[in-house]
Amino acid sequence: MYRREQSFGIQMLSVQPDTKPKGCAGCNRKIKDRYLLKALDKYWHEDCLKCACCDCRLGEVGSTLYTKANLILCRRDYLRLFGVTGNCAACSKLIPAFEMVMRAKENVYHLDCFACQLCNQRFCVGDKFFLKNNMILCQTDYEEGLMKEGYSTQVR
Ligand SMILES: [Zn+2]
Ligand SMILES: [Zn+2]
Ligand SMILES: [Zn+2]
Ligand SMILES: [Zn+2]
């Protein structure tokens, strides 16, 4: 399941003095300022288009806003609340929010990517897996690796 980011651009417009003042979608008052913001097909006071989470003024922060469940959010909060989980430690592609992931220590993996990176064996619940040099390994490959290392250090 993949969800696209709900991001929308914000335009800053200067208000023409001879036009009727527009109503602000935030506070419902008329916008009598020199500038107004247009976003989501609505007009806003510069002070009224704010992140529902951190209250930052969205007209200033990169001019993009994010919406989700009727909330207007800045990029940082959107990502924190609904955003990508992180990069898959195996394929290094982004993992979208709400997707099921596997976790091993601080690493996250797509379900499909969570397999031994040497022999591609998948793990079932309860199976043992090992993390070595940030690679997921099955028990066989992990132990084989240990044996090889032990061997090479013996040779030296
Ligand atoms: Zn307003
Ligand atoms: Zn915010
Ligand atoms: Zn992956
Ligand atoms: Zn393996």
Side-chain angles (χ1 to χ4, degrees), residues 19-128:
T19 54
K20 227 174 82 196
K22 305 236 185 316
C24 166
C27 65
N28 290 320
R29 285 197 286 263
K30 295 258 181 286
I31 304 173
K32 291 172 183 155
D33 305 350
R34 297 231 333 255
Y35 296 96
L36 58 79
L37 300 174
K38 185 172 185 225
L40 304 169
D41 287 326
K42 291 173 189 154
Y43 299 96
W44 311 77
H45 288 110
E46 283 178 77
D47 285 336
C48 288
L49 193 58
K50 283 190 291 196
C51 169
C53 238
C54 69
D55 257 12
C56 67
R57 286 164 57 161
L58 291 165
E60 289 166 4
V61 192
S63 295
T64 310
L65 64 80
Y66 292 76
T67 63
K68 192 87 170 190
N70 289 327
L71 290 175
I72 291 178
L73 296 167
C74 68
R75 178 177 169 80
R76 206 186 41 191
D77 286 313
Y78 177 83
L79 290 182
R80 191 168 56 79
L81 294 172
F82 307 107
V84 290
T85 315
N87 288 66
C88 171
C91 71
S92 61
K93 293 201 187 96
L94 283 175
I95 304 178
F98 304 116
E99 184 164 318
M100 293 278 291
V101 292
M102 293 297 292
R103 287 172 195 277
K105 292 194 179 155
E106 301 93 66
N107 294 339
V108 284
Y109 302 87
H110 295 112
L111 281 192
D112 288 343
C113 293
F114 196 74
C116 171
Q117 284 175 259
L118 286 178
C119 70
N120 287 325
Q121 184 203 297
R122 298 291 206 91
F123 301 97
C124 303
V125 182
D127 281 355
K128 268 195 180 174

